Amino acid sequence: MSDDFLPFSRPSISQAAIDDVVACLKSGWITTGPRVAQFTDALKDYFHAAHALPLMSATTGLHFALLAMQLEPGDEVITTPLTFAATLNSIVLAGGKPVLVDIDPTTLNMDLNLLEEAITERTRVIIPVHFAGLPVDLDWLYEIANKHGLRVLEDAAHAMGSEYKGKRIGSFGDTQVFSFHPNKNMTTGEGGCVVTRDQELAEQIARLRFHGIDRQAFNRYGKNGSQDYEIVMPGFKSNMTDIQAAIGIHQLKELAGFITRRNELAARYQEALADWQQWTLPTAPAYEHLHSWHIYTPLLNEEAAKMNRDEFMLAMKEKNIGTGLHYRAVHLYPYYRQAFDFKLGDFPKAEDVCERIVSLPLFPSMTDADHDRVLDVMYTIFN
Ligand SMILES: Cc1ncc(COP(=O)(O)O)c(C=O)c1O
């Protein structure tokens, strides 16, 4: 057994990024400044979007976007039970009520066949999650949203680099939120961004991001001096720093290479595991798309594996291989059961998937030898 622990995810930080962080630290300007401005422009170019707003996290992005959409108490926001708690927490923190739609167990994305029946007169926003980086069928989703006059906030935390019908996620539609957490497709340490084509929404998020400050309001009222400002509302403090942006500028340039390697590794798993009875493998939808493979998540078939998912994860760990759990069904956490009356059985497909799902190691610097090691260890565990 190898003594090295192989994690399920590891960031790839280039020497150029490290050098730029050092240059930033030496420059005397380490908070929001020229590098955040450069990163913002690079994101706008990348997405061909009018507005891109770097922030401290995707969680903040979801929260601020929903605050800017001005939910009234009792307004409903529809999302999926197969997501990180941040998606639902943001809805609640913005004053909304989470309404869930079960998943399609083949794509692990929201089952759009069930979406319309969840829409009520209180529904305001739909939050599709591009799970693992597999794009939701956005033509279909926007058709439903437009028919009912609803906003769409895409939780694209997993989907940096993903494409739907030849277009980048983030380059069209209403509003998207991306994560730059260390295990995501690209990182800034911690971080995220909102991308939108809605100028008012972007301006409101910019105010929420930094104390409710509006420099334009100050300028409009006639005084000079860029140091001064007006507070037009109570805001938060969630601006990205130049240290983070120094990493992000390089990560964005390297992203296409990361996605290529993620696709190679996912294809290698798909091929190697095709005949293993212990797994149900991810399947691709018929529409044209580019998967970014943020995570590779087969479902364990307990009977064939002769163990459950938690036992499998433990066995892998004992053999020095890390795995991830994305996610436990979010509606079954105590807060959501108590506050919104969710219970076991409400979303049976997501509940089944959440009992069986495992994230196997996959990250751009993973070698073919690392990959073979994962397969060998799984083989010994099952046989
Ligand atoms: C689906 C989803 N949404 C939102 C988030 C929040 O991202 P962040 O950690 O950048 O706040 C995550 C993070 O894991 C996520 O997986």
Side-chain angles (χ1 to χ4, degrees):
M1 183 174 90
S2 169
D3 287 341
D4 292 341
F5 185 74
L6 182 75
F8 92 89
S9 175
R10 180 188 279 153
S12 294
I13 310 293
S14 64
Q15 191 56 47
I18 293 169
D19 291 346
D20 205 15
V21 168
V22 173
C24 174
L25 291 171
K26 289 181 174 170
S27 74
W29 196 280
I30 59 176
T31 186
T32 312
R35 284 180 171 81
V36 170
Q38 190 186 334
F39 186 41
T40 303
D41 287 344
L43 289 167
K44 284 200 285 192
D45 279 358
Y46 178 80
F47 290 117
H48 308 294
H51 309 280
L53 295 111
L55 295 158
M56 283 306 268
S57 66
T59 304
T60 308
L62 291 166
H63 182 203
F64 289 1
L66 287 168
L67 284 176
M69 288 177 184
Q70 297 180 325
L71 301 179
E72 303 284 337
D75 277 353
E76 295 173 3
V77 179
I78 297 179
T79 191
T80 153
L82 182 58
T83 187
F84 187 50
T87 318
L88 270 76
N89 288 349
S90 304
I91 297 170
V92 178
L93 291 170
K97 177 180 173 204
V99 170
L100 303 180
V101 167
D102 208 351
I103 57 165
D104 172 340
T106 62
T107 62
L108 308 187
N109 284 332
M110 182 191 287
D111 184 347
L112 299 184
N113 287 301
L114 306 176
L115 176 55
E116 268 195 290
E117 61 200 55
I119 295 172
T120 73
E121 62 206 13
R122 297 307 310 265
T123 309
R124 293 282 314 286
V125 186
I126 305 170
I127 308 187
V129 177
H130 302 291
F131 187 81
L134 174 64
V136 169
D137 191 348
L138 290 174
D139 282 349
W140 188 6
L141 184 127
Y142 275 97
E143 190 187 308
I144 297 171
N146 292 338
K147 180 172 151 197
H148 294 270
L150 304 175
R151 294 213 66 154
V152 176
L153 175 59
E154 296 171 41
D155 183 336
H158 298 186
M160 199 67 198
S162 298
E163 293 175 12
Y164 174 75
K165 297 189 180 171
K167 293 180 288 184
R168 272 181 193 149
I169 299 297
S171 69
F172 64 100
D174 186 338
T175 300
Q176 297 77 27
V177 176
F178 295 88
S179 173
F180 305 141
H181 175 273
N183 74 18
K184 296 301 192 297
N185 296 343
M186 60 168 266
T187 188
T188 55
E190 290 284 356
C193 76
V194 178
V195 178
T196 185
R197 280 138 288 275
D198 176 340
Q199 179 162 346
E200 245 177 70
L201 190 93
E203 285 173 2
Q204 184 69 348
I205 292 171
R207 292 186 281 261
L208 285 163
R209 172 172 66 173
F210 201 64
H211 306 293
I213 284 177
D214 192 329
R215 290 184 200 280
Q216 281 168 11
F218 179 80
N219 292 338
R220 260 209 303 277
Y221 297 118
K223 295 216 180 111
N224 299 320
S226 60
Q227 294 301 311
D228 221 335
Y229 54 80
E230 299 289 1
I231 302 282
V232 295
M233 58 181 289
F236 296 82
K237 178 74 189 326
S238 299
N239 50 309
M240 181 176 274
T241 69
D242 265 25
I243 304 170
Q244 291 166 291
I247 307 170
I249 289 163
H250 293 275
Q251 289 272 300
L252 189 57
K253 287 183 196 155
E254 293 153 14
L255 179 64
F258 295 159
I259 301 298
T260 301
R261 182 62 184 154
R262 285 180 177 278
N263 271 273
E264 283 168 9
L265 291 165
R268 224 171 175 270
Y269 276 132
Q270 291 289 82
E271 201 185 317
L273 300 178
D275 296 329
W276 292 34
Q277 301 307 309
Q278 292 88 354
W279 294 115
T280 298
L281 302 184
T283 47
Y287 49 85
E288 187 201 340
H289 66 282
L290 174 66
H291 201 319
S292 62
W293 293 108
H294 157 53
I295 40 180
Y296 180 77
T297 55
L299 308 180
L300 189 74
N301 299 326
E302 292 183 7
E303 222 169 283
K306 300 192 201 71
M307 66 182 73
N308 67 30
R309 186 266 319 280
D310 295 349
E311 288 162 346
F312 170 76
M313 290 179 73
L314 196 62
M316 292 290 276
K317 194 166 155 198
E318 279 165 0
K319 298 214 179 287
N320 270 339
I321 309 267
T323 54
L325 172 45
H326 304 97
Y327 299 93
R328 287 209 274 143
V330 73
H331 63 286
L332 298 178
Y333 284 114
Y335 170 75
Y336 285 99
R337 282 176 186 259
Q338 282 152 25
F340 300 101
D341 228 10
F342 291 128
K343 54 190 181 321
L344 191 66
D346 283 351
F347 307 104
K349 298 209 172 79
E351 288 163 14
D352 175 57
V353 163
C354 292
E355 287 297 313
R356 298 165 53 206
I357 198 164
V358 188
S359 301
L360 297 180
L362 191 154
F363 49 90
S365 61
M366 186 175 180
T367 62
D368 287 0
D370 293 332
H371 201 271
D372 289 341
R373 189 176 142 202
V374 176
L375 297 170
D376 289 348
V377 167
M378 290 202 297
Y379 187 83
T380 33
I381 285 174
F382 289 142
N383 291 286

